[in-house]
Each structure stands twice: as structure tokens, then as C-alpha cells.
Amino acid sequence: MSEPIRVLLVDDHALLRAGFRTILDTQPDITVVGEASSGAEAVAQASALHPDVITMDVQMPDMDGIEATRRIVADPAVAAAIAIVTTFDRDDYLYQALDAGASGFLLKNAGAEDLIAAVRALAAGDGMLAPEVTRRVLARFAATPTRATYSTPPTGTPSPRVALAEPLTDREAEVLTLLADARSNAEIARALYIGEATVKTHVSRILQKLGARDRVQAVVLAHRMGLA
């Protein structure tokens, strides 16, 4: 059997951390390896514990979760995927979290099954956004000019996109377009009449070419490229 997913819980409320620990530790494939009550402590714990996934609060003393996320993502020795988990359904938090490198965004009123699914998705490199905020945050990213260079997307329509070391193939562009429409691997496979294993291969190649950490960042880039 593979090693369990290692999770670091970051929140300044001990009761919430205890609740998350109780939920996650019941799963045979997940183990909570540590807790932190501030952004600065989260940065230190991430470096020391090397978790696979971090659940990160936003409003904390010492250093907020957005800055902590930015510092953790910038550390080449840490490969953790970060899910922002907050009470506040605010567009600025959504935008700043993804811009800082977070791979997921959940509200604290989400159910236990949503938390578990988010941890598993992030560990698999899939990323996860709360359904109620997905389209809103992607629309905002789409309206924000990219800092990367400009060129012509695979569709042939002039639009901003990230400069790629290797261009997307026509099939990869199709897969990315469907990813940007929040389609699952199974849905993409049915739409394109290919196998799910083939979809996974295409997604891996897309992430590599885009330099994206996960599907969430790939979807954001797809909107900026005009593919959605």
C-alpha cells in the first residue's frame, strides 16, 4: 500500500483544528502530521514536516495565510499543495490565494466529505475549488491581464497566454478547454471519445508545458489564454 497523505493543519482556532484532525484521521489513507496556529508557524512546520497537503486559514495573528502560502510555495524544499479554508467568502481572498500559489479554496461550512475529497484531490495534483466560488474566481482571473508574454493560442484567435517552451497540441488544447469548463477526467474522456488513462496523460503534459502546479492553476491559465 502507498504511504498515507501527510496533512498539516493551520488555523488559529484550536477547536477547528481538532475537528479537522478528527475528520481526517478517520481515513486510512490520510494522517495529520502537525498543526500550526499562525502563518509564521505554518512556514516553519511546512519546512520541518514536509506534508503533502496543508489546510490554511486566512486571518491569523503574526502572518496571514496568504503570505504564509506565498512563502511555502516559494520554498523549493517544500512540495505541499495548499488549500485555503476560510469562513469568509470574499473575492479578494480567492484571487490572492490562487495568485499566491494555493491549489484549493474551501469554505469552513463545507461538509466533512468535502474536506476529505479536497485533501485527496490536492494530494493527487488535481486541486479543488468550492463549487459555489469556482466560476466567480475564474471569471476574475480571466479579466486580469497576465504578466506573461503574449502570443497566439492554439485556436488561432489572438489572445494573451503564457509563453510555452513547447506549444500545446490540438488535442491538448481541447483537453485544456474542457478542464476550464470544470469537466472531470471521465467527462473529458466521454466528450473526446478517448480513455481516461489517455486524458490523464494529456493533463500531465499540459501541466508540464504550462508550468502549472495542478489543474486549478491550469484552468486559470486556460481562461487567460482565451480557451474558455
Side-chain angles (χ1 to χ4, degrees), residues 51-90:
D52 302 307
V53 175
I54 299 172
T55 65
M56 181 77 72
D57 190 17
V58 175
Q59 292 190 349
M60 293 182 292
D62 186 353
M63 180 191 299
D64 67 38
I66 304 298
E67 179 59 26
T69 295
R70 186 173 291 107
R71 295 191 186 191
I72 291 170
V73 169
D75 185 348
V78 179
I82 300 175
I84 297 294
V85 186
T86 180
T87 304
F88 306 100
D89 185 4
R90 288 173 41 176

Side-chain angles (χ1 to χ4, degrees), residues 8 16 19 30 44 52 59 81 86 90 153 155 166 190 193 208 217 220 224 227:
L8 171 64
L16 189 137
I30 300 173
D52 302 307
Q59 292 190 349
T86 180
R90 288 173 41 176
T155 58
E166 183 181 353
R190 288 194 295 270
Y193 301 99
Q208 180 182 6
Q217 292 188 355
V220 168
R224 287 180 171 174
L227 291 177

Side-chain angles (χ1 to χ4, degrees), residues 5 10 25 36 49 60 95 109 145 158 209:
I5 301 166
V10 183
D25 274 344
L49 298 175
M60 293 182 292
Y95 185 88
N109 61 4
K209 289 181 177 182

Side-chain angles (χ1 to χ4, degrees), residues 153-155 159 168 172-173 176-178 180 221-228:
T155 58
S159 178
L168 297 177
E172 289 166 351
L176 182 56
T177 300
L178 293 173
L221 291 173
H223 278 257
R224 287 180 171 174
M225 291 165 63
L227 291 177

Side-chain angles (χ1 to χ4, degrees), residues 141-177:
F141 264 95
T144 303
T146 178
R147 290 188 294 265
T149 58
Y150 285 55
S151 57
T152 303
T155 58
T157 302
S159 178
R161 70 164 177 158
V162 173
L164 305 178
E166 183 181 353
L168 297 177
T169 65
D170 290 342
R171 178 62 85 188
E172 289 166 351
E174 291 176 330
V175 171
L176 182 56
T177 300

Side-chain angles (χ1 to χ4, degrees), residues 192-213:
L192 299 179
Y193 301 99
I194 57 179
E196 285 191 53
T198 303
V199 173
K200 291 180 180 178
T201 299
H202 285 313
V203 171
S204 295
R205 290 284 293 159
I206 290 167
L207 296 182
Q208 180 182 6
K209 289 181 177 182
L210 292 178
R213 291 166 56 89

